[in-house]
Amino acid sequence: MPHSRKIKLEYYKHRGQVVVLLTFDYDAEVINLIKKFNAVSWSRSLNCWYIPRNKFELRSFLNMLKKIALIDYSALKGYKGNKSGDSKEIACSYKN
Protein backbone atom coordinates (compact mmCIF):
# COMPACT_ATOMS: atom_id res chain seq x y z
CA MET A 1 0.00 0.00 0.00
CA PRO A 2 1.51 3.37 -1.00
CA HIS A 3 2.09 5.96 1.72
CA SER A 4 0.11 9.18 1.56
CA ARG A 5 2.60 10.90 3.89
CA LYS A 6 5.83 12.21 2.40
CA ILE A 7 8.94 13.53 4.12
CA LYS A 8 11.66 15.22 2.12
CA LEU A 9 15.22 15.33 3.47
CA GLU A 10 17.84 17.77 2.24
CA TYR A 11 20.97 19.50 3.42
CA TYR A 12 20.92 23.18 4.30
CA LYS A 13 23.23 25.61 6.06
CA HIS A 14 21.38 27.00 9.09
CA ARG A 15 22.94 29.15 11.81
CA GLY A 16 26.46 28.32 10.67
CA GLN A 17 26.07 24.54 10.54
CA VAL A 18 24.97 22.03 7.95
CA VAL A 19 21.67 20.45 8.90
CA VAL A 20 19.20 17.98 7.41
CA LEU A 21 15.85 19.65 6.85
CA LEU A 22 12.73 17.53 7.33
CA THR A 23 9.94 18.95 5.19
CA PHE A 24 6.43 17.55 5.25
CA ASP A 25 2.80 18.57 5.60
CA TYR A 26 1.60 18.88 9.17
CA ASP A 27 1.03 15.45 10.71
CA ALA A 28 0.92 14.90 14.49
CA GLU A 29 2.01 11.25 14.24
CA VAL A 30 5.09 12.14 12.17
CA ILE A 31 5.95 14.98 14.56
CA ASN A 32 5.70 12.70 17.58
CA LEU A 33 8.05 10.19 15.95
CA ILE A 34 10.68 12.70 14.84
CA LYS A 35 10.70 14.24 18.32
CA LYS A 36 12.18 10.94 19.51
CA PHE A 37 15.46 11.88 17.83
CA ASN A 38 17.58 13.64 20.45
CA ALA A 39 19.04 16.27 18.14
CA VAL A 40 15.86 17.29 16.30
CA SER A 41 14.85 20.95 16.54
CA TRP A 42 12.11 23.18 15.22
CA SER A 43 13.23 26.24 13.25
CA ARG A 44 10.85 29.14 13.56
CA SER A 45 12.72 31.04 10.86
CA LEU A 46 12.55 28.14 8.36
CA ASN A 47 9.20 26.85 9.60
CA CYS A 48 10.35 23.22 9.62
CA TRP A 49 12.18 20.56 11.64
CA TYR A 50 15.89 19.87 11.26
CA ILE A 51 18.71 17.69 12.62
CA PRO A 52 22.39 18.72 12.59
CA ARG A 53 24.18 16.75 9.87
CA ASN A 54 26.79 15.41 12.27
CA LYS A 55 24.03 13.90 14.45
CA PHE A 56 21.79 12.63 11.66
CA GLU A 57 21.67 8.86 11.07
CA LEU A 58 19.78 8.05 7.89
CA ARG A 59 19.37 4.36 8.69
CA SER A 60 17.79 5.11 12.09
CA PHE A 61 15.54 7.74 10.55
CA LEU A 62 14.38 5.38 7.80
CA ASN A 63 13.79 2.52 10.24
CA MET A 64 11.62 4.68 12.47
CA LEU A 65 9.53 6.36 9.78
CA LYS A 66 9.45 4.07 6.74
CA LYS A 67 6.32 2.28 7.92
CA ILE A 68 4.23 5.44 8.03
CA ALA A 69 5.73 7.70 5.34
CA LEU A 70 7.55 7.78 2.04
CA ILE A 71 11.01 9.25 2.71
CA ASP A 72 12.62 11.18 -0.15
CA TYR A 73 16.33 11.36 0.64
CA SER A 74 17.53 11.75 -2.95
CA ALA A 75 18.92 15.23 -2.16
CA LEU A 76 21.30 13.68 0.40
CA LYS A 77 22.99 11.39 -2.11
CA GLY A 78 26.41 12.47 -3.30
CA TYR A 79 26.62 15.51 -1.01
CA LYS A 80 30.19 16.81 -0.81
CA GLY A 81 29.55 19.90 1.31
CA ASN A 82 29.13 23.49 0.30
CA LYS A 83 32.66 24.61 -0.63
CA SER A 84 31.69 28.25 -1.10
CA GLY A 85 30.05 28.48 2.31
CA ASP A 86 26.93 29.96 0.76
CA SER A 87 23.62 28.74 2.05
CA LYS A 88 21.02 27.82 -0.50
CA GLU A 89 17.54 29.24 -0.42
CA ILE A 90 14.75 26.93 0.58
CA ALA A 91 11.14 27.17 1.54
CA CYS A 92 9.97 24.57 4.04
CA SER A 93 6.37 23.52 3.90
CA TYR A 94 4.53 22.97 7.12
CA LYS A 95 0.82 23.27 6.53
CA ASN A 96 -1.82 23.15 9.23
Side-chain angles (χ1 to χ4, degrees), residues 30-63:
V30 171
I31 292 168
N32 287 333
L33 283 174
I34 65 169
K35 282 182 175 181
K36 293 182 180 187
F37 289 93
N38 291 332
V40 73
S41 298
W42 171 255
S43 170
R44 289 171 61 184
S45 62
L46 296 174
N47 200 34
C48 65
W49 295 92
Y50 70 92
I51 300 173
R53 181 175 184 243
N54 62 351
K55 299 191 185 234
F56 181 74
E57 295 180 13
L58 180 59
R59 182 173 288 152
S60 297
F61 190 87
L62 292 174
N63 285 338

Side-chain angles (χ1 to χ4, degrees), residues 10-19 21 45-46 79 81-91:
E10 60 186 312
Y11 291 120
Y12 184 74
K13 191 168 183 181
H14 180 56
R15 298 183 183 223
Q17 68 176 337
V18 178
V19 300
L21 295 181
S45 62
L46 296 174
Y79 179 78
N82 188 344
K83 294 178 182 168
S84 68
D86 296 334
S87 61
K88 65 178 185 170
E89 296 296 320
I90 190 162

Side-chain angles (χ1 to χ4, degrees), residues 3 5-12 19-24 51 53 56-67 69-80 88:
H3 296 292
R5 299 173 174 133
K6 295 180 183 170
I7 302 171
K8 183 176 181 181
L9 307 178
E10 60 186 312
Y11 291 120
Y12 184 74
V19 300
V20 177
L21 295 181
L22 316 173
T23 57
F24 55 92
I51 300 173
R53 181 175 184 243
F56 181 74
E57 295 180 13
L58 180 59
R59 182 173 288 152
S60 297
F61 190 87
L62 292 174
N63 285 338
M64 184 174 287
L65 291 158
K66 69 183 178 186
K67 292 181 182 174
L70 174 66
I71 314 296
D72 176 5
Y73 61 96
S74 59
L76 303 184
K77 296 177 184 175
Y79 179 78
K80 302 290 184 204
K88 65 178 185 170

